Amino acid sequence: MKEFKVTYFFDEEHYIRRFIHTESQEEAEKRIQSERDQYISFTDSRGIYHELNTKDVRVIQVAEYHRVDK
């Protein structure tokens, strides 16, 4: 299973980021597309719970993430 970083941009300065796990970039894109114009909820890596209305997002980026342990 691969990890993908999903970033939701509201404008040039404000964004929320989440990580999803799926088998491929194509599956990650399909998942993001299926969530279009609806509310989603998730807890970020800091333990903060988010509810996000995806219709308020201007740009969404999806990229495979290669986590580096420090």
Side-chain angles (χ1 to χ4, degrees), residues 5-9 15-19 42 44 50 61:
K5 175 175 62 174
V6 182
T7 308
Y8 301 92
F9 291 93
Y15 65 90
I16 293 176
R17 183 170 290 145
R18 81 191 246 222
F19 294 89
F42 59 95
D44 67 17
H50 298 272
Q61 290 180 341

Side-chain angles (χ1 to χ4, degrees), residues 27-60:
E27 286 185 25
E29 292 171 7
K30 285 180 184 177
R31 180 171 172 181
I32 298 306
Q33 291 167 354
S34 74
E35 296 171 344
R36 188 177 290 150
D37 294 333
Q38 60 182 312
Y39 280 92
I40 60 170
S41 61
F42 59 95
T43 302
D44 67 17
S45 60
R46 299 168 294 169
I48 299 172
Y49 175 79
H50 298 272
E51 287 188 2
L52 169 66
N53 187 343
T54 59
K55 77 175 184 178
D56 296 331
V57 175
R58 295 182 62 155
V59 175
I60 300 174

